[in-house]
Amino acid sequence: MIILSVDYGDMRTGVAVCDKMGILASPVGVVKGDYAPKVAKEINQIATDKKAELIVVGLPKNMDGSEGDRAEKCREFAKLIEEISGIKTVMCDERLTTVSAHRALSAVDVRGQKRKDVVDAVSAVMILEDYLRKM
């Protein structure tokens, strides 16, 4: 099953996809923008192009497991994607994925603007890898 993952952000939204076997998660890129309906439409187009059968949206929980305002925004965004695309959308805990993405990029010496351009896509890969491990 081809699964698309989304790391929803205020200005940049990372997107990743896995192969049909659910083995390899790869970054697709970053959708820039802060208007949720426009971003959701762009993600729908990516999902269509990649033939995604499921969309996983990162759920930013607090370290104690509680959910704040950001989690609610992500839930609303996931619902919007599902309405626009008609593809089932599920949530996946994304605690520390951005921190891990920054560490991974530091390890390969990606810095500055280049890091900003890819960190959200790397976070989306990590969300997808976590989801695939739990399947």
Side-chain angles (χ1 to χ4, degrees), residues 42-82:
E42 288 187 43
I43 289 172
N44 173 52
Q45 186 60 55
I46 294 167
T48 300
D49 293 346
K50 299 292 183 183
K51 298 177 176 54
E53 301 166 72
L54 179 70
I55 299 173
V56 176
V57 177
L59 180 63
K61 291 185 174 185
N62 298 319
M63 291 310 292
D64 66 1
S66 64
E67 295 182 14
D69 293 340
R70 187 80 208 147
E72 182 58 32
K73 283 184 182 181
C74 289
R75 285 189 186 281
E76 290 171 7
F77 186 68
K79 184 178 175 184
L80 180 61
I81 291 172
E82 189 167 331

Side-chain angles (χ1 to χ4, degrees), residues 23-133:
I23 297 170
L24 182 63
S26 305
V28 172
V30 175
V31 176
K32 294 182 180 179
D34 61 352
Y35 183 59
K38 183 176 184 243
V39 173
K41 285 180 183 175
E42 288 187 43
I43 289 172
N44 173 52
Q45 186 60 55
I46 294 167
T48 300
D49 293 346
K50 299 292 183 183
K51 298 177 176 54
E53 301 166 72
L54 179 70
I55 299 173
V56 176
V57 177
L59 180 63
K61 291 185 174 185
N62 298 319
M63 291 310 292
D64 66 1
S66 64
E67 295 182 14
D69 293 340
R70 187 80 208 147
E72 182 58 32
K73 283 184 182 181
C74 289
R75 285 189 186 281
E76 290 171 7
F77 186 68
K79 184 178 175 184
L80 180 61
I81 291 172
E82 189 167 331
E83 288 170 0
I84 289 171
S85 69
I87 300 169
K88 182 179 178 187
T89 305
V90 297
M91 305 303 294
C92 182
D93 186 349
E94 69 164 46
R95 278 180 273 191
L96 299 179
T97 55
T98 301
V99 172
S100 296
H102 277 288
R103 285 184 184 149
L105 291 169
S106 289
V108 294
D109 203 31
V110 176
R111 305 208 183 279
Q113 186 61 43
K114 194 172 186 182
R115 179 182 288 201
K116 278 186 176 182
D117 291 340
V118 299
V119 71
D120 297 297
V122 173
S123 292
V125 168
M126 292 180 171
I127 291 166
L128 185 51
E129 288 174 339
D130 189 43
Y131 181 80
L132 292 170
R133 273 192 298 276

